[in-house]
Amino acid sequence: MEKNRPPGIVPCMPHPLYDRDYYLLNGSNFLYSLYGTMFIFLPAFLYTLHIREGQIGLIMATGTLVSVALKPVNGLFVDRRGRTAFLVSGALLASASTIPWIFVREGGAHLYAIRIFQGAAYSFFATASYAYIAAAAPADRRGEALGVFGLSFFIPTALGGWLGEWVIGKAGFSGLFLSASVIAFLAGLFPLGMKEPDRSSQLPVRSLLDFLSRAYFIPNTASFLFGTAYGSIFTFLPVFLLIRKISTIGVFVVVYALTVVGTRTLGRKLSDRMPRERLSLLSLLLLGIGILSIPFIGGHWGLALVAAVSGTGHGFLFPSLSALILDRAGSEKGGMAMAMFTGAFDMGLVIGAGAFGFVAEHLGYRAMFFSAAGFTAAGALFFFTQDPSFRRASPPGPGPPG
């Protein structure tokens, strides 16, 4: 073969996945995720201010709603060679907007204002990070790239639960918020050493309508349901455990995160080899089973088992669904596709934190978790019956829109 190659032609080396920029992106995301994990204690902090569950849900949902609203706009701009700038600005805004929590002593409209700025910060950072992956990752390793990138979310999640409890024990919630602000600031330093990917596109505003088509709408709906499940767990499980005095959220967070880490390391190539729709459907069902089991928790071991089941579903669902979206969008629309995908997830968080908060307040936590599990199961059935390519299963690698 070497002798038959035409003169002047050299073999094309595969684009590396694990380069300097990828490690810096993961480092920045690690710190930003550690910052975000600190805020799993925010509902418990609000509860100590005598704020009821319904209002806690609305406060938590406010930041997420702002993030969702900004993502389509951010998606149009980050692909115009602005990914690293959005990473830096998002981290620094997160740092600045966390300082006011140190001085909060009572409920009021000011809590919603703080969450608005935190939501904007997250929108900037998250949109830019996934747009960077979409532009830089090799097409045939998208699932692996997104799955390994997810480790920079869940390793800090495993640490953040215990770290947050330790800081609160030593310095109270004020110490927690100060630590979170410093961590977010450090996250903004890593992107300063990253190169902007060569790929850029200037999509017109009307291109947003493309993402309402069936090929995108169905998997984005699954992402929405994923967010709903995640929101119902991480917004109200800390309060549920506090009231029931069964265990601590630290046990759940550590096991959940380590399970996700396990799926992303031992099974990191699975979403590039197995049809993505099938893996996504199975993962949604595992999340539903985990939520359904929460009211029956009786101690540390039961909580750990629920965390393991839910974490397995989460670990496989995100890389398979997001890679499916990128397969259908291609590199030109990758940043916008991930903005819409993560926006759907965030909107699910709004529903999980908002609507289910009122269910918990008026009907109790058992009814709330049962409702969330039923909602997730119904969504899995919708995904199974409505996705145009499900029954023939998408190819493991990049493919055209279904």
Side-chain angles (χ1 to χ4, degrees):
M1 294 296 292
E2 294 290 330
K3 295 180 180 180
N4 296 330
R5 184 184 302 124
I9 302 296
V10 297
C12 179
M13 296 296 292
H15 178 72
L17 171 59
Y18 302 103
D19 58 11
R20 179 174 180 271
D21 293 328
Y22 186 75
Y23 287 121
L24 286 174
L25 178 63
N26 276 272
S28 179
N29 194 62
F30 176 95
L31 290 173
Y32 195 94
S33 299
L34 185 60
Y35 159 81
T37 303
M38 297 291 192
F39 281 88
I40 66 172
F41 299 98
L42 184 58
F45 169 70
L46 297 174
Y47 192 78
T48 65
L49 301 179
H50 307 291
I51 298 173
R52 293 302 305 273
E53 288 89 347
Q55 191 176 358
I56 290 175
L58 291 177
I59 292 170
M60 299 301 294
T62 297
T64 309
L65 189 60
V66 170
S67 173
V68 172
L70 290 177
K71 278 191 173 180
V73 179
N74 293 340
L76 289 173
F77 285 99
V78 294
D79 278 337
R80 300 180 183 184
R81 303 183 66 83
R83 302 173 186 90
T84 54
F86 270 76
L87 286 169
V88 173
S89 61
L92 296 184
L93 180 58
S95 177
S97 62
T98 301
I99 295 297
W101 285 115
I102 299 174
F103 306 102
V104 169
R105 297 294 180 269
E106 60 183 4
H110 57 292
L111 303 185
Y112 294 92
I114 298 172
R115 292 294 292 165
I116 287 173
F117 284 102
Q118 287 189 299
Y122 174 75
S123 185
F124 292 164
F125 190 92
T127 304
S129 62
Y130 286 113
Y132 199 101
I133 290 286
D140 60 345
R141 300 178 72 184
R142 283 175 179 148
E144 180 183 356
L146 289 160
V148 174
F149 178 64
L151 293 179
S152 61
F153 284 101
F154 286 100
I155 293 176
T157 300
L159 299 174
W162 292 112
L163 178 62
E165 288 183 341
W166 181 81
V167 173
I168 292 171
K170 295 292 184 180
F173 282 103
S174 295
L176 177 78
F177 297 135
L178 179 60
S179 300
S181 180
V182 172
I183 290 170
F185 178 82
L186 294 176
L189 302 182
F190 282 72
L192 297 176
M194 293 166 54
K195 296 179 181 178
E196 185 70 23
D198 293 333
R199 293 177 181 172
S200 64
S201 60
Q202 299 190 19
L203 298 176
V205 176
R206 65 178 181 274
S207 65
L208 292 173
L209 297 176
D210 295 343
F211 295 93
L212 297 178
S213 65
R214 196 179 188 86
Y216 298 106
F217 179 76
I218 302 301
N220 280 337
T221 300
S223 177
F224 168 82
L225 296 164
F226 177 25
T228 302
Y230 189 84
S232 66
I233 293 173
F234 279 90
T235 300
F236 294 108
L237 182 58
V239 183
F240 174 74
L241 296 175
L242 181 66
I243 294 173
R244 294 279 297 270
K245 295 181 173 60
I246 299 172
S247 184
T248 65
I249 189 62
V251 173
F252 181 88
V253 169
V254 168
V255 176
Y256 188 100
L258 291 177
T259 304
V260 173
V261 170
T263 62
R264 301 285 176 86
T265 52
L266 301 177
R268 68 183 184 277
K269 297 181 182 295
L270 189 61
S271 61
D272 287 323
R273 294 176 177 175
M274 181 177 177
R276 308 198 203 277
E277 291 89 347
R278 295 178 184 175
L279 188 57
S280 299
L281 177 64
L282 176 60
S283 301
L284 270 175
L285 292 175
L286 286 174
L287 275 173
I289 292 171
I291 297 172
L292 184 66
S293 304
I294 289 175
F296 303 104
I297 292 173
H300 295 305
W301 289 108
L303 183 63
L305 180 60
V306 169
V309 173
S310 304
T312 300
H314 188 153
F316 286 120
L317 181 58
F318 187 84
S320 58
L321 264 183
S322 52
L324 174 63
I325 286 287
L326 285 179
D327 290 347
R328 295 177 178 181
S331 59
E332 182 180 353
K333 296 181 180 179
M336 176 59 74
M338 289 305 298
M340 300 296 283
F341 174 79
T342 56
F345 174 85
D346 292 342
M347 183 57 72
L349 290 177
V350 172
I351 299 299
F356 290 129
F358 285 103
V359 174
E361 182 175 339
H362 295 287
L363 298 177
Y365 281 93
R366 179 181 291 266
M368 187 273 288
F369 286 122
F370 285 168
S371 299
F375 193 71
T376 304
L381 179 62
F382 174 78
F383 179 55
F384 173 74
T385 58
Q386 298 301 314
D387 190 83
S389 62
F390 187 89
R391 294 191 181 280
R392 57 185 169 83
S394 69

